[in-house]
Amino acid sequence: MSGVLKRWNLLPPEAAANEILPCCGSRSWADGVTGRRPIADEVTLLAVSDKVWSGLAEADWREAFGSHPRIGETRIGETRIGESRIGETRMAATKAPQEASQQSAAWSGQEQRKVAEGGASAKVALAESNREYERRFGQIFIVCATGKGPEEILTILQRRLGNDPVNELREAAEQQRQITQLRLRKWLQT
């Protein structure tokens, strides 16, 4: 058992849930995973995470989506000139402790590193497509961005704009599941 898991298994439930909250952004997910302690190893943790995630309500998924900044942004809920704020409840709904918000934002910055290195035209196109996605689906665009540049993400975003709302929610939930898996692994390394 890793030292992180050993220590985390002994924390009071609220403290344990708050500690893993940045990995997903859903309070119900964090409480659900915490409620299944003790967790012996990484494989079990990832399996428990997936099981809890798949059993959550749509509102819990949307809470997790709202804990992310838009692709190409550095802060949760950041608004650029000329942009409207769709999803004003983002992050406010999670009621996450300040440290959780900061950790989640730091991980998002790492995950979107290639986007930040992209050219201006790709970033503008991405911002425009983000707004179109938000108007269509009422949530921010979620993609597991690790290792993907702005052009690749823009291609994915434009493809997903063709989804119907039900299939898009499922695809967004799968992307969030992948992000959560990556973040849990990072958390175990802290």
Side-chain angles (χ1 to χ4, degrees):
M1 178 182 301
S2 80
V4 172
L5 277 177
K6 189 179 288 187
R7 180 191 51 76
W8 179 73
N9 279 328
L10 298 174
L11 290 174
E14 185 175 351
N18 286 341
E19 186 168 321
I20 63 168
L21 186 60
C23 296
C24 177
S26 164
R27 174 58 65 181
S28 293
W29 171 86
D31 290 342
V33 172
T34 299
R36 286 165 175 79
R37 293 181 302 162
I39 295 178
D41 54 38
E42 179 180 324
V43 171
T44 304
L45 176 64
L46 298 177
V48 166
S49 172
D50 283 353
K51 183 168 180 61
V52 170
W53 179 250
S54 69
L56 293 179
E58 180 180 321
D60 299 316
W61 286 355
R62 290 185 187 276
E63 179 184 33
F65 304 161
S67 71
H68 295 276
R70 290 181 184 110
I71 294 292
E73 295 181 350
T74 56
R75 292 188 317 267
I76 297 160
E78 177 182 285
T79 303
R80 297 202 174 145
I81 296 171
E83 289 187 1
S84 64
R85 287 291 306 275
I86 295 175
E88 285 288 340
T89 59
R90 294 187 316 161
M91 205 53 192
T94 65
K95 306 227 186 302
Q98 185 66 19
E99 310 82 56
S101 297
Q102 292 170 349
Q103 181 61 69
S104 182
W107 281 335
S108 290
Q110 292 169 2
E111 293 155 3
Q112 294 188 35
R113 186 175 336 210
K114 283 196 167 191
V115 174
E117 297 167 355
S121 62
K123 289 178 184 177
V124 168
L126 198 50
E128 290 170 359
S129 293
N130 270 327
R131 287 192 297 274
E132 182 181 349
Y133 180 95
E134 289 179 14
R135 282 190 297 273
R136 175 150 166 66
F137 296 112
Q139 66 192 36
I140 67 164
F141 172 67
I142 297 293
V143 65
C144 187
T146 300
K148 294 177 178 74
E151 293 82 9
E152 182 179 359
I153 291 175
L154 184 59
T155 299
I156 294 167
L157 196 162
Q158 290 172 338
R159 176 190 55 79
R160 286 176 51 191
L161 279 167
N163 284 346
D164 65 80
V166 171
N167 285 327
E168 180 51 32
L169 179 64
R170 286 187 192 124
E171 190 156 351
E174 171 56 22
Q175 293 298 306
Q176 177 64 54
R177 186 196 69 76
Q178 291 175 27
I179 293 165
T180 301
Q181 295 278 304
L182 289 171
R183 289 182 175 192
L184 283 168
R185 288 182 178 105
K186 290 177 188 177
W187 172 70
L188 287 172
Q189 299 302 313
T190 60

